[in-house]
Amino acid sequence: CMMRLLKFTFNAFQENTYILYDDKNQGIIIDPGMSTPSEWEEVMQALEVNTLDLQAIVLTHGHIDHILGIHRLLEWKPLMPIYSHEITQEVLNAQPDYAMLFGIHLPSAPQITHFLEIGEPLKVGEETLDVLFTPGHCPGEVSFYHASSKTLIAGDVLFYESIGRTDLPGGDLPTLLDAIREQFWPLPNDTTVFCGHGPETTIGHEKVHNPFIE
């Protein structure tokens, strides 16, 4: 069984959006950040070229740069479910006001339709992702691990030789470091980490080279 992954980098924050899909081309979009017509077109072309059936929107966390594409997705497919942690709804509720600080118009706070439970896997077609609870950068943040391909979708928790910032509302450095140590370090060293910003890395590389984690 295979999990396939497409990576896009969108919006002024250079946020990484991911599409994951199975052998039968059933997929999800994680952290849809597209904010312009050309970025939207990029996603549409990828779906067409790969003949993908996009079945759900999934959020690692609720920050503005990770949700800018949701309204457009729901215009395109109004009944598409949105999966995230229950706490993330509180973060989403604050984003329209937060967006105004950046001169971004967010018409309304997206509404999560399905709350993810820690320990209950998330289905991607016939594949499953483990849901890891990884707060510290943002309250309620979750990460997703696909065991057979050793793929980790890490949101803004862990970056290449860096970590998520903890100076935003609800951020907490000790909480973030605990999440990385408890949830990420037990994973195989050759796990590929797909981050919310910047390039990929591996668990093994970060254990040795990440200056923020003892």
Side-chain angles (χ1 to χ4, degrees), residues 1-2 5 7 41 49 51 56 64 72-73 81 92 109 144 158 164 172 174 176 179 189 192 197 204 210:
C1 286
M2 284 288 294
L5 178 147
K7 176 184 177 182
E41 195 53 42
V49 167
T51 59
I64 185 69
R72 188 76 181 77
L73 282 166
L92 290 172
F144 302 101
L158 182 67
D172 184 68
L176 182 69
N189 281 338
T192 304
H197 301 268
N210 195 302

CSV table of all heavy atoms in Angstrom, one decimal, residues 1-2 5 7 41 49 51 56 64 72-73 81 92 109 144 158 164 172 174 176 179 189 192 197 204 210:
chain,number,residue,atom,x,y,z
A,1,CYS,N,0.8,-1.2,0.0
A,1,CYS,CA,0.0,0.0,0.0
A,1,CYS,C,0.9,1.3,0.0
A,1,CYS,O,1.9,1.3,0.7
A,1,CYS,CB,-0.9,0.0,1.2
A,1,CYS,SG,-2.2,-1.1,1.1
A,2,MET,N,0.5,2.2,-0.7
A,2,MET,CA,1.3,3.4,-0.9
A,2,MET,C,0.5,4.6,-0.4
A,2,MET,O,-0.7,4.7,-0.5
A,2,MET,CB,1.6,3.7,-2.4
A,2,MET,CG,2.6,2.7,-2.9
A,2,MET,SD,4.3,3.2,-2.3
A,2,MET,CE,4.5,4.8,-3.1
A,5,LEU,N,2.2,11.8,-1.9
A,5,LEU,CA,2.2,13.2,-1.3
A,5,LEU,C,2.6,14.2,-2.4
A,5,LEU,O,3.5,14.0,-3.2
A,5,LEU,CB,3.2,13.2,-0.2
A,5,LEU,CG,3.4,14.6,0.6
A,5,LEU,CD1,3.7,14.3,2.1
A,5,LEU,CD2,4.5,15.4,0.0
A,7,LYS,N,3.3,18.4,-2.6
A,7,LYS,CA,3.7,19.6,-1.8
A,7,LYS,C,3.5,20.8,-2.6
A,7,LYS,O,4.0,20.9,-3.7
A,7,LYS,CB,5.1,19.4,-1.2
A,7,LYS,CG,5.6,20.6,-0.4
A,7,LYS,CD,7.1,20.5,0.0
A,7,LYS,CE,7.6,21.7,0.7
A,7,LYS,NZ,9.0,21.5,1.1
A,41,GLU,N,-5.4,27.6,-8.9
A,41,GLU,CA,-5.3,26.9,-10.2
A,41,GLU,C,-4.2,25.8,-10.1
A,41,GLU,O,-4.4,24.7,-10.7
A,41,GLU,CB,-4.9,27.9,-11.3
A,41,GLU,CG,-5.0,27.4,-12.7
A,41,GLU,CD,-6.4,26.9,-13.0
A,41,GLU,OE1,-7.4,27.5,-12.5
A,41,GLU,OE2,-6.5,25.8,-13.6
A,49,VAL,N,-4.4,16.4,-13.1
A,49,VAL,CA,-3.3,15.6,-13.6
A,49,VAL,C,-3.2,14.2,-13.0
A,49,VAL,O,-2.9,13.2,-13.6
A,49,VAL,CB,-2.0,16.3,-13.5
A,49,VAL,CG1,-0.8,15.4,-13.7
A,49,VAL,CG2,-1.9,17.5,-14.4
A,51,THR,N,-5.8,12.8,-11.4
A,51,THR,CA,-7.1,12.3,-11.3
A,51,THR,C,-7.5,12.0,-9.8
A,51,THR,O,-7.9,10.9,-9.5
A,51,THR,CB,-7.4,11.0,-12.2
A,51,THR,OG1,-6.5,10.0,-11.8
A,51,THR,CG2,-7.2,11.4,-13.6
A,56,ALA,N,-11.5,15.5,1.8
A,56,ALA,CA,-11.6,16.2,3.1
A,56,ALA,C,-10.5,17.2,3.2
A,56,ALA,O,-9.4,17.1,2.6
A,56,ALA,CB,-11.4,15.2,4.3
A,64,ILE,N,-3.7,31.6,10.5
A,64,ILE,CA,-4.2,32.1,9.2
A,64,ILE,C,-3.5,31.6,8.0
A,64,ILE,O,-4.2,31.3,7.0
A,64,ILE,CB,-4.1,33.7,9.3
A,64,ILE,CG1,-4.7,34.4,8.1
A,64,ILE,CG2,-2.7,34.2,9.5
A,64,ILE,CD1,-6.2,34.2,8.0
A,72,ARG,N,-12.4,28.9,-0.5
A,72,ARG,CA,-12.5,28.6,-1.9
A,72,ARG,C,-12.8,27.1,-2.1
A,72,ARG,O,-13.6,26.7,-3.0
A,72,ARG,CB,-11.2,29.0,-2.6
A,72,ARG,CG,-11.1,28.9,-4.1
A,72,ARG,CD,-11.9,30.0,-4.7
A,72,ARG,NE,-11.9,29.9,-6.2
A,72,ARG,CZ,-12.6,29.1,-6.9
A,72,ARG,NH1,-13.5,28.2,-6.3
A,72,ARG,NH2,-12.6,29.0,-8.2
A,73,LEU,N,-12.2,26.3,-1.3
A,73,LEU,CA,-12.5,24.8,-1.4
A,73,LEU,C,-14.0,24.5,-1.1
A,73,LEU,O,-14.6,23.7,-1.8
A,73,LEU,CB,-11.6,24.0,-0.4
A,73,LEU,CG,-10.2,23.8,-0.8
A,73,LEU,CD1,-9.4,23.3,0.4
A,73,LEU,CD2,-10.0,22.8,-1.9
A,81,PRO,N,-15.9,17.8,4.3
A,81,PRO,CA,-15.7,17.9,5.7
A,81,PRO,C,-14.4,18.5,6.1
A,81,PRO,O,-13.4,18.5,5.3
A,81,PRO,CB,-15.7,16.4,6.2
A,81,PRO,CG,-15.4,15.6,5.0
A,81,PRO,CD,-15.8,16.4,3.8
A,92,LEU,N,-9.4,29.1,15.3
A,92,LEU,CA,-10.1,29.5,14.1
A,92,LEU,C,-11.0,30.7,14.3
A,92,LEU,O,-11.0,31.6,13.5
A,92,LEU,CB,-10.8,28.3,13.4
A,92,LEU,CG,-10.0,27.2,12.9
A,92,LEU,CD1,-10.9,26.0,12.5
A,92,LEU,CD2,-9.2,27.6,11.7
A,109,ALA,N,-14.8,32.6,10.2
A,109,ALA,CA,-14.0,31.5,10.8
A,109,ALA,C,-14.5,30.2,10.2
A,109,ALA,O,-15.6,29.9,10.3
A,109,ALA,CB,-14.1,31.5,12.3
A,144,PHE,N,0.6,14.3,11.9
A,144,PHE,CA,0.0,13.1,11.3
A,144,PHE,C,1.2,12.2,10.8
A,144,PHE,O,2.1,12.6,10.1
A,144,PHE,CB,-0.9,13.4,10.1
A,144,PHE,CG,-2.0,14.3,10.4
A,144,PHE,CD1,-2.0,15.7,10.2
A,144,PHE,CD2,-3.1,13.8,11.1
A,144,PHE,CE1,-3.0,16.5,10.5
A,144,PHE,CE2,-4.2,14.6,11.5
A,144,PHE,CZ,-4.1,16.0,11.2
A,158,LEU,N,7.9,21.2,14.1
A,158,LEU,CA,9.4,21.0,13.9
A,158,LEU,C,9.7,21.4,12.5
A,158,LEU,O,9.0,21.0,11.6
A,158,LEU,CB,9.7,19.5,14.1
A,158,LEU,CG,11.1,19.0,14.0
A,158,LEU,CD1,12.0,19.6,15.1
A,158,LEU,CD2,11.2,17.5,14.0
A,164,GLY,N,8.8,25.5,15.7
A,164,GLY,CA,7.8,26.5,15.6
A,164,GLY,C,8.0,27.6,16.6
A,164,GLY,O,8.4,27.4,17.7
A,172,ASP,N,3.7,28.0,23.8
A,172,ASP,CA,4.5,27.8,25.0
A,172,ASP,C,5.7,26.9,24.7
A,172,ASP,O,5.5,25.7,24.2
A,172,ASP,CB,3.6,27.1,26.0
A,172,ASP,CG,4.3,26.8,27.4
A,172,ASP,OD1,4.6,27.8,28.0
A,172,ASP,OD2,4.6,25.7,27.7
A,174,PRO,N,8.1,25.2,26.5
A,174,PRO,CA,8.3,23.9,27.2
A,174,PRO,C,7.3,22.9,26.6
A,174,PRO,O,7.6,21.7,26.5
A,174,PRO,CB,8.1,24.2,28.7
A,174,PRO,CG,8.4,25.6,28.8
A,174,PRO,CD,8.0,26.3,27.6
A,176,LEU,N,6.0,22.8,23.7
A,176,LEU,CA,6.4,22.4,22.3
A,176,LEU,C,7.6,21.4,22.4
A,176,LEU,O,7.5,20.4,21.7
A,176,LEU,CB,6.8,23.7,21.5
A,176,LEU,CG,7.2,23.4,20.1
A,176,LEU,CD1,6.1,23.0,19.2
A,176,LEU,CD2,7.9,24.6,19.5
A,179,ALA,N,6.3,18.0,23.4
A,179,ALA,CA,5.6,17.4,22.3
A,179,ALA,C,6.6,16.7,21.3
A,179,ALA,O,6.4,15.6,20.9
A,179,ALA,CB,4.7,18.4,21.6
A,189,ASN,N,14.3,6.9,12.9
A,189,ASN,CA,15.2,8.0,12.5
A,189,ASN,C,15.1,8.4,11.0
A,189,ASN,O,15.4,9.5,10.6
A,189,ASN,CB,16.7,7.6,12.8
A,189,ASN,CG,17.0,7.8,14.3
A,189,ASN,OD1,16.3,8.6,15.0
A,189,ASN,ND2,18.0,7.1,14.7
A,192,THR,N,10.7,10.7,7.2
A,192,THR,CA,10.7,12.0,6.5
A,192,THR,C,9.7,13.0,7.2
A,192,THR,O,8.6,12.6,7.3
A,192,THR,CB,10.4,11.9,5.0
A,192,THR,OG1,11.3,10.9,4.5
A,192,THR,CG2,10.6,13.2,4.3
A,197,HIS,N,6.5,24.9,7.0
A,197,HIS,CA,7.3,25.9,6.2
A,197,HIS,C,8.7,25.3,6.0
A,197,HIS,O,9.2,24.6,6.8
A,197,HIS,CB,7.5,27.2,7.0
A,197,HIS,CG,6.2,27.8,7.4
A,197,HIS,ND1,5.6,28.8,6.7
A,197,HIS,CD2,5.4,27.6,8.5
A,197,HIS,CE1,4.4,29.2,7.3
A,197,HIS,NE2,4.3,28.5,8.4
A,204,GLY,N,16.0,11.6,12.4
A,204,GLY,CA,17.4,11.4,12.8
A,204,GLY,C,18.3,12.6,12.7
A,204,GLY,O,19.1,12.9,13.5
A,210,ASN,N,19.4,19.7,15.6
A,210,ASN,CA,18.4,20.8,15.9
A,210,ASN,C,19.0,21.5,17.2
A,210,ASN,O,19.0,20.9,18.2
A,210,ASN,CB,17.0,20.2,16.2
A,210,ASN,CG,16.0,21.3,16.2
A,210,ASN,OD1,16.1,22.3,17.0
A,210,ASN,ND2,15.0,21.2,15.3
